[in-house]
Amino acid sequence: MKPTTGAFEKTPGWLDWFERPAKPRFVLPPGAVDAHCHVFGPGEQFPYAAERKYTPCDASKDQLFALRDQLGFDKNVIVQATCHGSDNSAMVDALRHASGRARGVATVKRDVTDQALQAMHDAGVRGVRFNFVKRLVDFTPQDEMMEIANRIRAWGLHVVIYFEAVDLPELWSFFAALPVTVVIDHMGRPNVAQPVDGPAFNLFMQFMQRHDNVWSKVSCPERLSLSGPQALNGEQQAYQDVVPFARRVVETFSDRVLWGTDWPHPNLKDHMPDDGLLVDFIPHIAPTPDLQHKLLVDNPTRLYWPESL
Ligand code: 0GY
């Protein structure tokens, strides 16, 4: 059991992240970016937010950087998790200690000052996250989010959105009106029990087709899968029910997809993935070296390190 430090008690049933992930068999290309991961605390240094819906075990920047090296990634994009609310200090501290090898996505409220936005940008923040998943956050009015989206244009920041597939019809017009690049977390969380060419996932594909400022992370098979990590027919193809969904997105929008581990995997109750196994999932959804390079290197570099191109 990993600790939660400070005056905090882990949420009951919380599964801790894998301490010794397998070395992936899939060798990541040089310059590969883990474009969705988090840091949690440590709680005694960076207390969890009062309004949080869960209390994780600590997962520090040093542990994240060790994972990066173990898996063979070159860089990270660290996404503010809801357990830290709009206090971005743990994430920003990680950016400041990453020697330029991490960028961040923050959570901000309407009252964020220009000075605070500037300081976050200087540290490496390149996006702001709007969360619509009801079990994770309290309601924020859309006019507040739109005001933020308009303000962050001055720093060239993008918006990351996290929502459930059933909510896309209702949120469509708001998402379509966002005046910046938009990155969707985890393919909009499709229900993979439904057909990959059924109405719900077709709607998601249509949304991306109609809006060329919209990108998608093809991450979190462990969160979406119903078939799980088991080897099937003697073959090691984990999360096989997610493959057609992620592959369809990668093959259709190869210049607008990102991949990330989602380490340390908040809120998983049934099974905690081995991050090495997650990396071995990549060639199933991006089957050619060209697609792999776009997904892991070209796209995240263009979005998060454009100055290096
Ligand atoms: C993820 C997924 C989850 C949690 C959060 O910020 C968060 O707390 O994003 C989730 O529970 O589905 O991307 O980490």
Side-chain angles (χ1 to χ4, degrees), residues 193-210:
Q194 296 176 354
V196 67
D197 55 358
F201 202 59
N202 278 349
L203 190 74
F204 171 84
M205 294 295 287
Q206 217 176 73
F207 185 74
M208 289 205 59
Q209 197 82 55
R210 292 219 188 138

Side-chain angles (χ1 to χ4, degrees), residues 36 38 54 81-82 129 135 162 186 189 223 262 266-267:
H36 187 97
H38 310 286
Y54 62 87
T82 56
R129 191 182 197 205
R135 70 184 157 81
Y162 190 24
H186 320 326
R189 292 194 62 109
R223 226 173 252 297
D262 194 32
N267 298 313

Side-chain angles (χ1 to χ4, degrees), residues 141-284:
Q142 289 183 1
D143 70 321
E144 174 167 346
M145 293 191 228
M146 195 54 84
E147 187 181 308
I148 292 167
N150 278 310
R151 277 184 65 203
I152 63 173
R153 294 170 78 176
W155 286 270
L157 304 184
H158 62 265
V159 163
V160 173
I161 51 178
Y162 190 24
F163 60 94
E164 308 268 4
V166 290
D167 295 324
L168 179 56
E170 189 191 324
L171 293 166
W172 177 294
S173 56
F174 174 72
F175 293 162
L178 287 166
V180 290
T181 296
V182 174
V183 180
I184 298 174
D185 276 342
H186 320 326
M187 299 184 282
R189 292 194 62 109
N191 176 351
V192 300
Q194 296 176 354
V196 67
D197 55 358
F201 202 59
N202 278 349
L203 190 74
F204 171 84
M205 294 295 287
Q206 217 176 73
F207 185 74
M208 289 205 59
Q209 197 82 55
R210 292 219 188 138
H211 304 102
D212 60 11
N213 63 321
V214 176
W215 297 41
S216 178
K217 292 178 198 163
V218 287
S219 41
C220 274
E222 74 287 2
R223 226 173 252 297
L224 305 173
S225 180
L226 303 171
S227 62
Q230 292 78 14
L232 288 177
N233 306 325
E235 282 189 22
Q236 181 113 12
Q237 190 184 325
Y239 315 117
Q240 48 104 31
D241 51 351
V242 183
V243 170
F245 291 81
R247 189 162 164 168
R248 186 173 175 203
V249 180
V250 169
E251 290 181 337
T252 313
F253 305 109
S254 60
D255 293 323
R256 294 190 264 143
V257 282
L258 303 168
W259 192 88
T261 55
D262 194 32
W263 185 90
H265 312 287
N267 298 313
L268 292 183
K269 296 273 157 59
D270 299 326
H271 122 87
M272 176 57 57
D274 177 325
D275 297 279
L277 190 74
L278 280 179
V279 170
D280 285 335
F281 178 76
I282 296 171
H284 295 287

Side-chain angles (χ1 to χ4, degrees), residues 24 26-37 67-69 71-77 100-103 258-261 279 282 289 291-302 304-305:
F26 174 62
V27 178
L28 291 161
V33 179
D34 175 354
H36 187 97
C37 50
L67 178 80
R68 174 198 67 199
D69 296 344
L71 298 180
F73 283 101
D74 185 45
K75 304 187 194 78
N76 296 111
V77 179
R101 294 172 67 190
R103 296 287 188 244
L258 303 168
W259 192 88
T261 55
V279 170
I282 296 171
L291 287 173
Q292 291 159 9
H293 206 267
K294 287 180 172 187
L295 176 66
L296 297 163
V297 184
D298 299 340
N299 299 343
T301 305
R302 207 164 73 248
Y304 289 99
W305 284 269

